[in-house]
Amino acid sequence: MNASLSPDQTKVDTVKLLIDGQWVESKTSEWRDVVNPATQQVLARVPFATAEEVDAAISAGQRAFKTWRDTPIGARMRIMLKLQALIREHSKRIAVVLSAEQGKTIADAEGDIFRGLEVVEHACSIGSLQMGEFAENVAGGVDTYTLRQPIGVCAGITPFNFPAMIPLWMFPMAIVCGNTFVLKPSEQDPLSTMLLVELALEAGVPAGVLNVVHGGKQVVDALCTHTDIKAISFVGSTEVGTHVYNLAGQHGKRVQSMMGAKNHAVVLPDANREQTLNALVGAGFGAAGQRCMATSVAVLVGKAREWLPELKDLAAKLKVNAGNEPGTDVGPLISKRAKERVLGLIESGIREGATLELDGRDVSVPGYEQGNFVGPTLFSGVTTEMQIYTQEIFGPVLVVLEVDTLDEAIALVNRNPFGNGTGLFTQSGAAARKFQSEIDVGQVGINIPIPVPVPYFSFTGSRGSKLGDLGPYGKQVVQFYTQTKTVTARWFDDDSVNDGVNTTISLR
């Protein structure tokens, strides 16, 4: 399917499967259109793979694992080095495709690719990341050491909102650890993901080590229940993530499931006013709010309440347009269904008594009248019982709550069931230290609106935003994609003294 590297994506008729190193036209009877959300133009048709095709992809991974697991670490590392170079070379072209199918601005699409590229770069350090431990003379002449060995065929299920970053969180780390992988991209925007897969093959990933199937719930369930799949990595909605975690767990698989969020930004009145307002608007409305780490709740503390008019004015200046148009700040939502859901939640906020400070429902974009656009929308007077607070909106909607003290703000955030990320804006080191100590959320930003850590650390969402113990990148993901084998060894030479029979469990 090298045609998918063509700059004119409108000529791509069907998205192929990748099975055992071959691009395969699916034999399915079920297809879905890949639609440009700004124009409703059909860019491609994606298949919902048959059960036989999913089995074939997993079988290819199982066969390839027998030799790939023994491939030297240096050889795997060099493939990652080549892959990161290819991604850099093609990033602007991939960003154009990503923007067309997902709706992001070109700059945001490039950021999507870059944050995934960082993980590929980290995978190039596998020589040190996959090291075991060694202890000499744990008993007389006895040494103990650990090996970190690959576990087999792994699978990844990725969401629509980051079609470059999330796949690059998954398959590079899995395969560089010596596993093979079956990837199921989002059926809504698989084209940019497939470009990255093609680059992985060009970088030298052998046949069967990386396979791709497309589809919906049936394909997801097949991956979760197949005997030969050893681990599942999922990023997406809470509903699907909980289903994946439970189903795969019932079938004895390792599972990491990164799910929904309701991320709060707590603003103290001593914060840098201009920087804080810019951060709130950028994190609240960027990517049309379609980020699991978006700031969707602003908690204004004390006199920071007075900042609301400036927040409204700044949000109102954002330009809504197609992602490929210069100067665009907010692009379209991924689908008409997503737009309808966001509009419904805005209506619920009005109905439940919140004050609609900025209304983005009737935004019109000349030349893109069929686009799935919702403009920046701002609510004040929000309470914790309202749907616009309790539900993840996943659109360009920022809700504002007000409290009197930092203690009240911490208690409010900790009562929310989600725990993906939170931020505090302040000039006080004491307040920041108190916040990071007492807040019950996995990822904390201090004067940082979207606290996604760099790949040297691990993504650590918590509570209702995450199921499973280990994160999707960083040191934790090496643990996820490997099993630890502990070896205790003693060697004798011909002149060794016979210790006799030892009937205890101790070493001596």
Side-chain angles (χ1 to χ4, degrees), residues 91 95 98 104-118 162 164-165 291:
S91 62
L98 197 160
K104 291 186 179 186
T105 66
I106 296 295
D108 196 25
E110 290 177 345
D112 186 335
I113 297 164
F114 179 76
R115 291 310 301 266
L117 174 63
E118 290 183 313
F162 285 96
M165 183 181 76
R291 296 171 176 151

Side-chain angles (χ1 to χ4, degrees), residues 106-130:
I106 296 295
D108 196 25
E110 290 177 345
D112 186 335
I113 297 164
F114 179 76
R115 291 310 301 266
L117 174 63
E118 290 183 313
V119 176
V120 180
E121 292 172 338
H122 195 232
C124 297
S125 303
I126 192 62
S128 57
L129 294 173
Q130 204 168 342

Side-chain angles (χ1 to χ4, degrees), residues 206-421:
V209 172
L210 176 59
N211 304 276
V212 181
V213 293
H214 304 283
K217 183 178 184 299
Q218 288 184 332
V219 172
V220 169
D221 288 356
L223 294 173
C224 290
T225 58
H226 199 287
T227 304
D228 290 334
I229 295 289
K230 303 302 180 185
I232 297 274
S233 182
F234 172 87
V235 177
S237 71
T238 298
E239 180 182 3
V240 179
T242 302
H243 170 75
V244 167
Y245 182 80
N246 290 334
L247 182 62
Q250 290 166 8
H251 286 80
K253 305 182 190 320
R254 296 184 182 186
V255 190
Q256 52 179 211
S257 186
M258 309 296 127
M259 307 184 299
K262 199 71 179 181
N263 305 314
H264 300 67
V266 176
V267 180
L268 298 187
D270 70 339
N272 183 300
R273 195 161 180 152
E274 182 179 1
Q275 295 288 346
T276 300
L277 290 170
N278 285 335
L280 291 177
V281 170
F285 304 116
Q290 297 175 121
R291 296 171 176 151
C292 65
M293 290 296 293
T295 296
S296 54
V297 182
V299 183
L300 305 184
V301 180
K303 290 188 176 181
R305 292 179 171 95
E306 299 171 3
W307 299 11
L308 182 60
E310 293 173 72
L311 179 63
K312 173 182 175 180
D313 291 343
L314 191 58
K317 294 177 182 177
L318 296 179
K319 181 178 179 181
V320 181
N321 208 334
N324 64 324
E325 294 288 352
T328 299
D329 298 305
V330 180
L333 295 168
I334 185 67
S335 66
K336 289 187 176 296
R337 181 179 178 184
K339 178 180 177 178
E340 290 170 2
R341 181 179 181 277
V342 171
L343 294 178
L345 284 166
I346 293 172
E347 291 289 346
S348 78
I350 297 169
R351 191 168 55 249
E352 293 177 349
T355 301
L356 184 59
E357 301 280 353
L358 186 62
D359 187 353
R361 289 175 294 174
D362 296 324
V363 64
S364 178
V365 179
Y368 297 96
E369 287 78 9
Q370 299 303 311
N372 309 321
F373 295 102
V374 176
T377 300
L378 181 67
F379 277 104
S380 65
V382 177
T383 66
T384 56
E385 295 79 26
M386 294 177 179
Q387 287 188 67
I388 53 173
Y389 177 78
T390 60
Q391 294 194 30
E392 183 178 27
I393 300 176
F394 229 60
V397 181
L398 180 63
V399 304
V400 177
L401 284 77
E402 299 176 2
V403 297
D404 293 325
T405 67
L406 177 58
D407 284 327
E408 289 179 70
I410 291 172
L412 186 153
V413 176
N414 285 346
R415 284 196 300 271
N416 191 281
F418 292 109
N420 222 22

Side-chain angles (χ1 to χ4, degrees), residues 2 42 74 84 99 101 117-118 137 182 184 190 231 254-255 257 300 326 345 379 381 384 421 428 454 460 463 499 503:
N2 290 329
V42 175
Q84 65 88 22
S99 176
E101 65 175 343
L117 174 63
E118 290 183 313
N137 281 328
V182 179
K184 195 213 83 67
R254 296 184 182 186
V255 190
S257 186
L300 305 184
L345 284 166
F379 277 104
T384 56
S428 167
V454 294
T460 52
R463 296 194 286 146
D499 294 332
T503 60

Side-chain angles (χ1 to χ4, degrees), residues 158-169:
T158 66
F160 76 84
N161 58 330
F162 285 96
M165 183 181 76
I166 303 299
L168 290 176
W169 280 9

Side-chain angles (χ1 to χ4, degrees), residues 139 142 490 502-508:
V142 177
R490 170 186 279 167
N502 179 12
T503 60
T504 72
I505 62 171
S506 63
L507 295 170
R508 63 188 184 192

